[in-house]
Amino acid sequence: MDSLDHRTASVPETLTKLAYRTMQQGKSLMGLAHKEATSRLMGLLAPEGVPRTEPLPDGVLNNLRQSMDRLTEQDWREAEQGLYPTSLLFDAPWLDWATRYPLLWLDLPQTWRRRQERNVRDLPSTVNSEAYPDYYLQNFHHQTDGYLSDHSAALYDLGVEILFNGTADPMRRRILRPLRRGLEAFATRPASALRVLDVAAGTGRTLRQLRGALPQAQLVGLDLSSAYLRQANRWLSQLPGELPQLVQGNAEAMPFADGCFQAVTCVFLFHELPAEARQNVISEAFRLLEPGGVLVLADSVQLQDSPEFKVVMNNFRRIFHEPYYRDYLSDSIETRLSQAGFAAIAAESHFMTRIWSARKPA
Ligand SMILES: C[S@@+](CC[C@H](N)C(=O)[O-])C[C@H]1O[C@@H](n2cnc3c(N)ncnc32)[C@H](O)[C@@H]1O
């Protein structure tokens, strides 16, 4: 009877795993097909002088594929272990993305023009430039309106999904293990008393992962872009449970009291900051954490830990406007963390993302 129970219980699990793998392969194929189609169209229609990518050697492609498979495998395993529900693996607004997809194509000519003209300050005239740091007032990724419009916010998630061939959320979820481990320091408190801040929350994809792993915790998201926060609010209000609180502000000087969070996360921000701002954000996270609290960062892999992907990193820099990426690639985040006072600093890489975790000494 026992073994029969075991067999029947494992069938749905096996099917779910198969569905997850198939979905990831589908997303990867869609990402590759989109890139191939846009690069052909570019060959036909884009003006001279638009920077192109360097072809990836076979060895690098194989490494990328294997690394992506390992990521998918780990994502599944950690869901199976109960770090987050398996339903989170399938959490994607497909219909919504499908309706937005044509807008990505319609946006291409403007993107090419900005790339060709090296025009990186093409922002809406309504933007109050005094309200933002100068480094922020740029067309990151050459995207229309930078981070400063509802149009940009509507296309962001889909663009990232395509860029990473469907692995953006699996990479974001790699913060969850070190985060949950870090929160064990507060295990005697009720889960609903824990406060977790997601810095540079953008359109809220990381907050969705956090809500999956920490259904009771109080979640707060901060970002400089109110347009991105509006989009986050639309997505997050569909989730069960308490709505995360969304706050507009600069991560270098956040409007919260000292020591009021038990955990701080920050995903895909650091490569878009000048070095000094990176340090300021780390110091702010330190200030906001209660002693014993945990900081978990996720951002691009770097030259030192992933030299085999140097050509991929260079391509990213070549075709997307990422003014601080070159400096970021050789920046020691570990040194910055310890300069701010953090201890127990650890780092690991998953596909194209590096995860750092650190503790504020108790
Ligand atoms: C690449 S996106 C990452 C968004 C999100 N964390 C994710 O995983 O998709 C970078 C985000 O950082 C925000 N940002 C950039 N500089 C900032 C700053 N100084 N303070 C707060 N947010 C900032 C942008 O508005 C944007 O939403």
Side-chain angles (χ1 to χ4, degrees):
M1 190 61 188
D2 263 346
S3 65
L4 185 65
D5 278 353
H6 177 75
R7 225 177 302 136
T8 39
S10 73
V11 169
E13 214 168 82
T14 312
L15 287 178
T16 313
K17 181 172 184 183
L18 192 67
Y20 175 57
R21 275 203 186 146
T22 311
M23 180 187 75
Q24 284 307 115
Q25 277 161 9
K27 281 198 204 169
S28 169
L29 285 176
M30 283 194 283
L32 291 171
H34 175 89
K35 287 183 192 117
E36 181 62 26
T38 48
S39 108
R40 285 184 188 213
L41 191 73
M42 222 173 137
L44 292 172
L45 299 179
E48 279 299 302
V50 178
R52 317 268 155 127
T53 52
E54 217 179 285
L56 299 181
D58 282 350
V60 175
L61 276 175
N62 276 340
N63 276 342
L64 281 172
R65 250 178 242 126
Q66 285 167 11
S67 177
M68 212 194 269
D69 287 347
R70 281 196 297 276
L71 173 70
T72 308
E73 198 52 41
Q74 177 156 1
D75 201 23
W76 169 261
R77 215 174 31 245
E78 291 191 349
E80 216 181 10
Q81 289 165 357
L83 269 178
Y84 40 87
T86 46
S87 57
L88 202 56
L89 305 178
F90 298 92
D91 173 51
W94 289 106
L95 200 59
D96 196 282
W97 283 348
T99 56
R100 290 171 199 218
Y101 184 61
L103 296 176
L104 273 186
W105 284 92
L106 293 174
D107 218 29
L108 274 179
Q110 297 185 61
T111 310
W112 291 338
R113 182 182 44 74
R114 276 191 293 273
R115 271 160 73 176
Q116 184 204 25
E117 294 170 356
R118 309 241 186 290
N119 181 358
V120 296
R121 299 263 176 184
D122 182 19
L123 297 174
S125 56
T126 48
V127 169
N128 171 13
S129 55
E130 279 162 27
Y132 304 97
D134 186 62
Y135 62 77
Y136 188 70
L137 294 170
Q138 306 192 48
N139 301 88
F140 287 90
H141 322 139
H142 297 286
Q143 67 202 21
T144 300
D145 304 333
Y147 283 120
L148 292 162
S149 74
D150 292 318
H151 171 80
S152 162
L155 295 184
Y156 172 82
D157 286 342
L158 183 56
V160 174
E161 221 31 53
I162 289 172
L163 171 71
F164 289 127
N165 292 339
T167 61
D169 281 347
M171 289 197 286
R172 289 187 182 104
R173 281 192 285 272
R174 304 286 61 78
I175 64 169
L176 298 177
R177 178 178 284 281
L179 177 71
R180 288 196 50 169
R181 198 180 296 136
L183 284 173
E184 282 167 14
F186 305 99
T188 52
R189 297 188 195 171
S192 59
L194 298 178
R195 281 170 56 83
V196 180
L197 169 68
D198 184 40
V199 177
T203 54
R205 287 305 303 176
T206 303
L207 284 167
R208 284 184 87 91
Q209 317 310 315
L210 292 173
R211 177 49 83 226
L214 303 168
Q216 314 272 336
Q218 299 172 42
L219 302 181
V220 180
L222 173 133
D223 201 280
L224 255 178
S225 168
S226 30
Y228 275 55
L229 291 175
R230 269 194 296 278
Q231 177 67 67
N233 190 48
R234 278 193 285 275
W235 289 132
L236 294 167
S237 54
Q238 297 160 3
L239 286 180
E242 296 295 320
L243 187 64
Q245 185 191 348
L246 299 175
V247 178
Q248 197 265 344
N250 186 347
E252 292 183 80
M254 294 187 261
F256 307 112
D258 295 2
C260 67
F261 292 99
Q262 286 69 49
V264 174
T265 60
C266 181
V267 177
F268 302 148
L269 169 68
F270 274 35
H271 71 283
E272 296 196 340
L273 294 180
E276 196 189 335
R278 264 175 240 142
Q279 189 65 54
N280 291 342
V281 175
I282 289 177
S283 299
E284 268 297 85
F286 189 84
R287 179 182 72 78
L288 297 180
L289 280 170
E290 178 179 336
V294 62
L295 169 65
V296 188
L297 303 173
D299 215 301
S300 163
V301 287
Q302 297 181 308
L303 291 171
Q304 206 183 5
D305 59 83
S306 305
E308 70 279 20
F309 294 143
K310 186 175 176 189
V311 57
V312 184
M313 298 180 219
N314 281 339
N315 271 344
F316 183 60
R317 198 162 56 74
R318 182 169 292 136
I319 57 164
F320 288 105
H321 177 57
E322 285 289 3
Y324 309 108
Y325 191 58
R326 186 202 285 266
D327 178 79
Y328 165 82
L329 285 179
S330 46
D331 192 16
S332 170
I333 302 297
E334 288 84 349
T335 307
R336 294 192 179 285
L337 288 165
S338 66
Q339 263 170 16
F342 281 103
I345 298 165
E348 56 194 59
S349 297
H350 300 278
F351 186 43
M352 297 308 295
T353 293
R354 189 135 178 98
I355 308 285
W356 288 269
S357 58
R359 190 170 40 75
K360 178 167 176 172

